[in-house]
Amino acid sequence: MNQAVKKVLVSKEEIARKVQELGKQITQDYAGQEIVATCILNGAFIFAADLVRAIDLPMSVEFLIVSSYGDSTESSGTVEIKRDFGVDIQGKHILIIEDIIDSGQTLNALKDILLKRNPASLKICTLLDKKERRLVDLQADYVGFSIPNEFVVGYGLDFASHHRNYPDVCVLKEEEYC
């Protein structure tokens, strides 16, 4: 285990099983429809890559960059779309794929922006959900794991652009980010 890691919170085996379950559920829920799988970069890229391969539906894949954290562990409250859709989403079924929902502020703001573009539907799939940190009324439609209020990295999640490459979701030692 890496020296920066306090403990493994969710193992790569647990993640693999959950991704397959989520893929199966999404396939059932959207049966007969085409979706636009929307990966929120940078953190969700590994989860999104695994998830879209577990979904048996026609789809396109888009990538958005949305930020409110920068290199901090706390949301600034200001949401910035750094990279937007390359296609018109009006009338399309949008599945937002996110790595973690913490305060919910960033994703809630993004959801409001996207709903104004009149998609046929908009659902959220997150690997991790920290409900005790939620500052807005936002619920994901698909949740991999509910986790406690600990700072996590790995499986795409980072701190200051590091630690994304760990295969598990790990709790980062406090001295690494304080």
Side-chain angles (χ1 to χ4, degrees):
M1 188 180 325
N2 186 291
Q3 301 264 351
V5 169
K6 181 178 176 182
K7 66 180 178 181
V8 172
L9 189 63
V10 185
S11 73
K12 63 184 177 182
E13 294 82 10
E14 291 171 301
I15 294 168
R17 280 191 299 275
K18 184 57 75 172
V19 167
Q20 291 304 309
E21 288 174 23
L22 290 168
K24 203 177 274 190
Q25 185 63 55
I26 292 165
T27 298
Q28 290 173 358
D29 291 353
Y30 284 98
Q33 300 176 53
E34 182 174 334
I35 64 172
V36 179
T38 307
C39 174
I40 306 299
L41 296 175
N42 290 336
F45 78 101
I46 293 175
F47 175 47
D50 289 345
L51 183 63
V52 298
R53 290 181 294 202
I55 298 171
D56 187 17
L57 294 169
M59 76 174 72
S60 61
V61 180
E62 287 288 322
F63 300 91
L64 299 181
I65 298 176
V66 182
S67 178
S68 69
Y69 281 78
D71 285 344
S72 176
T73 60
E74 297 290 327
S75 174
S76 67
T78 302
V79 175
E80 178 184 2
I81 297 178
K82 294 182 175 183
R83 183 187 190 285
D84 207 336
F85 279 99
V87 298
D88 182 7
I89 64 167
Q90 183 173 343
K92 297 184 178 173
H93 297 284
I94 307 301
L95 177 66
I96 296 174
I97 303 170
E98 181 63 290
D99 56 354
I100 187 168
I101 302 176
D102 194 314
S103 73
Q105 292 176 304
T106 303
L107 197 52
N108 196 53
L110 177 63
K111 182 179 176 184
D112 288 346
I113 291 166
L114 297 182
L115 286 173
K116 290 177 184 169
R117 297 179 186 182
N118 300 314
S121 67
L122 189 146
K123 291 187 178 181
I124 299 168
C125 179
T126 188
L127 177 66
L128 305 172
D129 193 1
K130 272 193 206 179
K131 288 185 181 180
E132 68 184 89
R133 298 250 317 152
R134 197 79 83 247
L135 298 176
V136 296
D137 184 22
L138 177 74
Q139 300 298 319
D141 300 280
Y142 307 98
V143 175
F145 303 93
S146 292
I147 63 168
N149 185 20
E150 297 189 88
F151 195 84
V152 292
V153 295
Y155 196 68
L157 291 100
D158 75 307
F159 171 65
S161 298
H162 292 87
H163 314 289
R164 290 189 196 279
N165 59 315
Y166 304 160
D168 309 295
V169 173
C170 304
V171 176
L172 193 62
K173 289 180 181 174
E174 193 170 326
E175 59 266 23
E176 295 292 322
Y177 61 89
C178 288

